[in-house]
Amino acid sequence: MKQIAQILLFDRNHRLIIYLRDDKPEIPFANHWDLIGGHLEEGETPEQAVVREAREEIGLELRHWKFFRRYECLNGDAYPNTKFIYHASIDCLAADLTLFEGQRLIAIGPEERFKFRFANILGAILEDFVAAGIWPRPVDNSRANNFHR
């Protein structure tokens, strides 16, 4: 079974970076939105693959990430596979990155996720992530600004 490593990558504004896959009929899920990541190469761990894919797809040297969940995809994908899903936050915006694969790179907030047609089971993965309460939230400093001694 094929193995895939992908990352839920959040920008400095706590928005999820996604990209629009190429519109080529020969690729699975053409013209669908996807996460950064891809297939493991022979002898590669999922962690090594997600770092390599971030470098190849958006020129990012990924240094810190956390494991979210493993998914056994027997239905709803182009072929059976195991997905290793990670998450990380970076201190830049999607506009600061260069997309080397695909049509377009954007960042979305959690409330916008329903507006997009995601590849394979990524919509379900996003729902699991939101339900887990892990989506980064902006820091509210309003209480600190109102603090007086």
Side-chain angles (χ1 to χ4, degrees):
M1 188 158 33
K2 292 187 185 264
Q3 295 186 321
I4 297 169
Q6 292 183 293
I7 191 157
L8 294 148
L9 189 62
F10 295 91
D11 71 8
R12 77 169 70 144
N13 292 331
H14 313 289
R15 296 172 61 82
L16 176 65
I17 297 173
I18 58 176
Y19 79 98
L20 184 59
R21 294 172 62 83
D22 285 320
D23 190 14
K24 298 177 182 175
E26 67 272 14
I27 67 169
F29 300 99
N31 216 33
H32 283 64
W33 292 92
D34 206 347
L35 301 175
I36 301 302
H39 293 93
L40 274 67
E41 294 180 353
E42 188 165 334
E44 196 174 43
T45 67
E47 293 82 8
Q48 291 168 328
V50 80
V51 169
R52 176 184 51 75
E53 290 286 347
R55 184 180 328 106
E56 290 176 0
E57 291 183 6
I58 56 173
L60 178 70
E61 289 299 327
L62 191 60
R63 290 187 172 84
H64 304 284
W65 62 90
K66 291 182 182 176
F67 179 72
F68 171 58
R69 203 170 280 172
R70 175 184 170 147
Y71 290 85
E72 299 296 327
C73 302
L74 304 176
N75 297 310
D77 213 330
Y79 39 78
N81 65 76
T82 301
K83 287 188 190 334
F84 298 89
I85 305 296
Y86 298 86
H87 63 100
S89 293
I90 57 175
D91 190 25
C92 67
L93 301 174
D96 300 330
L97 301 168
T98 301
L99 181 65
F100 296 106
E101 295 179 19
Q103 300 179 60
R104 190 160 53 121
L105 190 69
I106 64 169
I108 64 170
E111 68 285 350
E112 297 172 281
R113 69 189 185 275
F114 303 111
K115 298 176 185 176
F116 296 89
R117 189 171 64 164
F118 287 100
N120 51 57
I121 67 159
L122 294 184
I125 290 172
L126 274 180
E127 292 310 302
D128 288 350
F129 194 78
V130 169
I134 305 172
W135 194 296
R137 301 202 190 295
V139 176
D140 180 6
N141 290 323
S142 61
R143 294 179 79 194
N145 292 336
N146 292 329
F147 180 73
H148 300 285
R149 287 186 185 204

